[in-house]
Amino acid sequence: MRGLRWVLAIGLGIGLPLAAFAQATGAASPQAADGTSPWPAVHLRLGHSAFPLNGPWRFSVGDSPLDPNTGKPLWAEPNFDDSMWETVDLTPPEGSYEPLGGTAGYVPGWTARGHHRYWGYAWYRLRVDLETADAAGQTEKLSLEGPQDFDDVFQVYANGNLLGGFRNFSGNAPATYYSTPTLFPLPPPVSGPAVVEPGGSGKSRSEVIAFRVWMGPGTLLTQPDAGGLHNPPVLGEAGAVGADYQLRWLELVREYSTDAALGLLFAVMAVGAFSLVLFDRTDRVYLWIGGVFLLQAIYYGLFALDGWTENLSVVADTLVRNSLLFSLITAGWVMVWWIWFGRQRPSWIPRAAAGLALVWMVAEAIGAEVFFGLVPHGVAAKFEIVTLVVRVLFFALMLWIVIQGIRRLGLEGWLVLPAVLLRGIAVFSRELAVLHVSLNLNPFGVNINIVHLATLLMALAVALLLLRRLLQSVKAQRLLALDVKQAQEVQQLIVPSARIVHPGLTIESVYRPAREVSGDFFQIIPNAGDGSLLIVAGDVTGKGLRAGMLVALLVGAIRTAARFNPDPAAVLGELNQRLMGRGDASATCLAMRIDATGTVILANAGHVPPYLNGELVQMEGALPLGVVDGANCSVTRFGLKPHDRLVLVSDGILEATDSDGQLFGFERIQKLMGSSASAVEVADAAEKFGQEDDISVISITRTVVSEPALA
């Protein structure tokens, strides 16, 4: 249990005088037959003050028999002869501290006083002679503040009357909780006048204070110098003791403040880690980090709650925090580093971590005797060895993973190594405390132990690695942005001019990518030999850089195919072969050859048919390129008369979507074509409606007088 620094006297800060200890005397003690006092007594003169009852106390292991008449414990009775009992002084040795919590003022328990392996009941008794009166001569109201550090449950009696206790003694074993301050008002003397001490200024009364204590067997294995009271109770005037009681509560809040702060910190960090999944769903390490941080938040938050509110008993806390949460947290850290350092081998690591965590849970629950009485104490003690072996294996496994990470990644592994080493030491903090090796700091009464430091260092290591990964990601994004910009510049170079004049034809085009790199493409290739013109337009499946790379591939293939055979069907057949075997790469495409007489040969592979003088050219359907090897395209022939206008549009026009989710559709395109809208006007209308995909429009008008080609 945790101990706190004891206040020797409290003046309430308003100038109330402190009384001093008087010399021990037996004047008011019961007399033996020979006239001597069989029990030593502490003589206190009380004003507005409180005093620690350091003793010497009478002490005995075992439990008291009950009075057959009253049913009360005989060892609590004021006239019981305890002269043959041991004596125990609860004065804290100078410089002493509690090994687990690190707080000052710790008195070793009965295991350090000749009862090494004893667990169960024990009693403390102390006779106190009180001299108490206020300025008006009225007897003061007295209170007793229970000890702050004890193992594990107690009841307190005054002159044989039960004042109360910390928890209760019902059941097979008393339920134990983390200690909190306790306060017990002392009843006034039942009968008989108070005795006025000769030469004294107040009235005297005698009180026999008795503590009945019970310690569970699990405490022997987890607490150093366990057993009984580890600091003295405080007796005094009710107001002074009440002030000390409030001060103890403030100190208790401060003691667990580190755990509460860590619980809140890790809750925030868990939310941050889980949010990273939204940016990269392929990396499982963010889920593991978030899960470990969430478990850490529950672990520390629950500990602070248990310390402040008696929310869970020590047994339940051991089962939830030490057996379940701590084992899962350790296994989680193993998985975090295994995934972070990219270890695909050996594949048994996750199974080993899960198996060790399961063994830890069971062994911890049995070793701490969570299920008291089901397993003999000697057998349960051996399970503590099992948990020790499991912790050694966990530490070795984590250390091995980090060493492999150092070999593979260098700096990242070195950043993690100190945190893993410190956590390895922290995992054995209980054993080190039993060996009286203190790993605690108590600045301003705030408890900071090695487990806190190790956990914070692990979190810091993760933060540094995430920051490093973020900087690397920013650098990669900059390089990718540069690649995309260069791809955009290259793509702009292969897009024909917005206006081209060919003998007998005037061509206008608009090209507006939805992203930096477009998946739409078109080429206009004149044939100087026969005066014909080849126009190829299409749309690659997908968007972004991948689509842009396919566009570059197809544009090169179009140029090559047109050089050997400008027939539209042959060109589409060559493009289909280029896309086959490239995964899910596909494209809709339309190829059109217009000769000098105005004859048009049109081949289509899943693309939107062109509009001739505002009417959609009727064609049979066909599969896109890259779907089936050797697939046939649909082919049609027609002629262009002077002033005839042929318009090619991409599906980006059709798929433009407004804020209500409505598509631009064929009807709006038909209306634009009927009004003889230019290519720019068609593109503007779709873009204003709500551009979702790449937009390209090509308008070809048959002219009467041939003009020299500018392309």
Side-chain angles (χ1 to χ4, degrees), residues 1 49-50 136 147 159 169 181 206 240 290 337-338 344 412 432 496 499 540 653 686:
M1 302 299 176
S49 302
N159 287 338
F169 282 77
S206 180
W337 302 129
W338 187 70
Q344 302 302 322
E412 290 192 357
L432 293 172
R499 178 178 173 82
V540 172
I653 302 291

Side-chain angles (χ1 to χ4, degrees), residues 468-481:
R468 188 170 187 268
R469 176 174 286 191
L470 175 62
L471 295 177
Q472 291 176 339
S473 177
V474 170
K475 182 179 179 180
Q477 289 292 333
R478 289 177 178 174
L479 293 176
L480 180 61

Side-chain angles (χ1 to χ4, degrees), residues 128-389:
V128 182
D129 290 338
L130 305 173
E131 185 178 325
T132 171
D134 61 14
Q138 299 296 320
T139 301
E140 299 286 355
K141 293 181 179 180
L142 305 180
S143 292
L144 177 70
E145 184 180 8
Q148 185 66 13
D149 196 349
F150 51 88
D151 301 320
D152 289 315
V153 186
F154 72 81
Q155 289 177 319
V156 59
Y157 296 81
N159 287 338
N161 298 313
L162 179 63
L163 299 181
F166 184 79
R167 312 313 300 177
N168 60 69
F169 282 77
S170 61
N172 185 31
T176 59
Y177 289 78
Y178 292 106
S179 61
T180 55
T182 53
L183 186 65
F184 310 100
L186 259 65
V190 177
S191 62
V195 179
V196 179
E197 288 290 335
S201 59
K203 299 179 181 180
S204 176
R205 57 187 274 198
S206 180
E207 295 282 349
V208 174
I209 308 298
F211 279 86
R212 182 192 185 203
V213 183
W214 185 88
M215 182 181 75
T219 309
L220 285 174
L221 304 174
T222 58
Q223 304 289 335
D225 301 333
L229 309 184
H230 293 295
N231 44 32
V234 175
L235 178 64
E237 187 269 329
V241 176
D244 190 44
Y245 173 76
Q246 294 178 0
L247 179 61
R248 297 271 180 89
W249 267 111
L250 293 175
E251 290 176 337
L252 186 68
V253 170
R254 185 170 56 186
E255 182 183 1
Y256 287 97
S257 60
T258 301
D259 299 282
L262 286 176
L264 180 60
L265 172 64
F266 279 106
V268 173
M269 295 180 70
V271 173
F274 284 131
S275 66
L276 294 176
V277 179
L278 301 176
F279 298 95
D280 187 358
R281 298 180 183 273
T282 63
D283 199 337
R284 294 181 300 159
V285 74
Y286 300 129
L287 287 174
W288 282 102
I289 292 173
V292 171
F293 283 169
L294 181 59
L295 290 175
Q296 294 273 196
I298 298 173
Y299 178 87
Y300 285 113
L302 191 61
F303 189 44
L305 187 64
D306 293 344
W308 288 335
T309 66
E310 301 176 21
N311 176 59
L312 290 178
S313 67
V314 172
V315 171
D317 182 79
T318 299
L319 188 63
V320 174
R321 291 178 64 253
N322 294 349
S323 178
L324 178 62
L325 291 177
F326 201 74
S327 57
L328 290 178
I329 289 169
T330 305
W333 280 122
V334 169
M335 291 302 301
V336 165
W337 302 129
W338 187 70
I339 297 173
W340 185 277
F341 294 123
R343 297 294 303 171
Q344 302 302 322
R345 292 287 185 270
S347 59
W348 50 262
I349 291 291
R351 295 192 297 273
L356 288 174
L358 182 61
V359 173
W360 188 340
M361 293 178 197
V362 175
E364 179 73 28
I366 297 176
E369 302 198 49
V370 170
F371 309 103
F372 180 75
L374 295 180
V375 179
H377 175 64
V379 176
K382 292 181 173 57
F383 276 88
E384 279 293 311
I385 301 176
V386 176
T387 62
L388 180 63
V389 172

Side-chain angles (χ1 to χ4, degrees), residues 686-706:
E687 185 176 18
K688 184 178 180 180
F689 191 80
Q691 181 179 1
E692 295 288 337
D693 199 359
D694 304 319
I695 290 176
S696 58
V697 183
I698 305 172
S699 173
I700 305 107
T701 303
R702 174 83 166 156
T703 58
V704 177
V705 180
S706 298

Side-chain angles (χ1 to χ4, degrees), residues 516-541:
E516 289 81 0
V517 180
S518 173
D520 282 5
F521 63 92
F522 65 91
Q523 290 290 293
I524 302 174
I525 306 173
N527 189 327
D530 59 9
S532 65
L533 184 71
L534 178 66
I535 301 176
V536 182
D539 182 10
V540 172
T541 303

